């Protein structure tokens, strides 16, 4: 991707290594947005809010955001494969972008220091940088690396706690005869109770009848 000389000058971005060549995508970046698979009561950090935070941070650094990577309804602890996450890291490693802006460390990973450390090693070789906006951390800063790892470990512990609380929430609603999960096909949820959907319920009934009739 060609980057104009004026754009490089405006951003004032350093090369990946002292005295080395300029980054092929100097001054260009992307943002990573993730929304968990837990109920909104536990994760109100909307994609729009995350996007705004990343764009403001990019503007302050003079970085032009040209890519967006999104994972919706995916956990940073349980889901092994997150398309947005994987594509964002790939874009950094392939030097398609120089920066990846992430609202907070826990949006990026909740799998601990081990996973984050491997990613940072790859980015160091490619000259890519992750900016964690809330914490004010830059992965290219050696002093930030340990802090990023510690915060990733804390995020892992928090994720386990959230998972336990969500389980208890669902168990409590089940005992009260209430429904607090995603609605099954054929029903609507009103006041935490399942009621037949006016159209889908008829389809479900027809499917059952046809099945019973062979």
């Amino acid at each position: 991707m060609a980057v104009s000389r004026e754009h490089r000058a405006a951003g004032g971005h350093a090369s990946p290594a002292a005295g080395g060549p300029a980054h092929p995508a100097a001054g260009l970046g992307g943002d990573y947005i993730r929304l968990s698979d837990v109920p909104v009561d536990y994760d109100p950090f909307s994609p729009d809010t995350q996007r705004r935070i990343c764009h403001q941070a990019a503007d302050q650094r003079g970085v032009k955001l040209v890519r967006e990577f999104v994972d919706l309804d995916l956990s940073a602890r349980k889901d092994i494969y997150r398309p947005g996450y994987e594509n964002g890291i790939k874009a950094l490693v392939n030097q398609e972008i120089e920066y990846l802006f992430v609202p907070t460390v826990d949006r990026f990973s909740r799998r601990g220091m081990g996973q984050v450390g491997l990613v940072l090693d790859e980015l160091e070789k490619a000259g890519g940088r992750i900016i964690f906006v809330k914490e004010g951390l830059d992965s290219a800063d050696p002093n930030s690396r340990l802090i990023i790892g510690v915060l990733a470990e804390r995020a892992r512990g928090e994720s386990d706690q959230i998972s336990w609380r969500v389980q208890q929430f669902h168990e409590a609603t089940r005992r009260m005869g209430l429904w607090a999960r995603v609605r099954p096909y054929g029903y609507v949820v009103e006041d935490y109770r399942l009621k037949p959907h006016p159209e889908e319920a008829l389809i479900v009934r027809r499917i059952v009848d046809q099945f019973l009739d062979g």
Side-chain angles (χ1 to χ4, degrees):
M1 179 183 295
V3 182
S4 68
R5 185 179 305 167
E6 292 78 5
H7 186 76
R8 292 195 187 102
H13 305 283
S15 60
H23 193 288
L28 300 182
D31 58 346
Y32 176 67
I33 295 168
R34 183 182 66 82
L35 191 65
S36 300
D37 60 347
V38 300
V40 70
D41 292 345
Y42 294 96
D43 192 356
F45 204 20
S46 74
D48 287 341
T49 297
Q50 296 181 50
R51 186 176 296 110
R52 173 180 55 79
I53 290 172
C54 290
H55 279 252
Q56 288 177 345
D59 289 342
Q60 292 172 358
R61 286 178 173 262
V63 176
K64 180 180 180 181
L65 296 185
V66 295
R67 301 280 299 274
E68 181 168 279
F69 308 95
V70 180
D71 286 318
L72 297 181
D73 297 327
L74 289 177
S75 168
R77 178 76 167 96
K78 297 181 295 183
D79 290 294
I80 302 301
Y81 180 72
R82 288 179 279 150
Y85 170 88
E86 298 290 345
N87 290 333
I89 299 302
K90 183 178 179 181
L92 285 169
V93 172
N94 292 342
Q95 297 187 324
E96 299 168 12
I97 56 176
E98 183 182 13
Y99 290 87
L100 182 65
F101 288 83
V102 183
T104 64
V105 172
D106 62 11
R107 294 298 94 186
F108 184 72
S109 175
R110 285 185 180 271
R111 297 181 64 192
M113 188 179 296
Q115 182 198 34
V116 170
L118 292 175
V119 171
L120 297 186
D121 286 343
E122 290 295 316
L123 298 188
E124 185 177 7
K125 299 175 186 177
R129 304 165 72 169
I130 300 178
I131 307 299
F132 298 99
V133 181
K134 177 185 176 183
E135 296 85 359
L137 298 172
D138 182 344
S139 67
D141 179 5
N143 296 323
S144 294
R145 180 168 177 142
L146 178 60
I147 300 174
I148 293 171
V150 170
L151 291 177
E153 284 293 328
R154 188 174 72 178
R156 179 168 68 172
E158 290 175 349
S159 178
D160 292 341
Q161 288 295 321
I162 291 173
S163 178
W164 182 82
R165 290 199 300 267
V166 171
Q167 291 176 3
Q168 299 308 308
F169 171 73
H170 286 309
E171 176 63 17
T173 55
R174 185 188 67 81
R175 289 175 177 273
M176 292 186 292
L178 304 178
W179 188 271
R181 298 176 181 270
V182 177
R183 75 175 184 89
Y185 184 83
Y187 293 88
V188 294
V189 180
E190 296 181 2
D191 297 327
Y192 289 98
R193 297 188 183 278
L194 291 176
K195 296 183 179 180
H197 190 285
E199 298 176 356
E200 294 178 0
L202 299 177
I203 297 174
V204 172
R205 171 53 58 188
R206 188 164 67 248
I207 291 172
V208 173
D209 289 342
Q210 291 178 353
F211 175 78
L212 295 177
D213 290 341

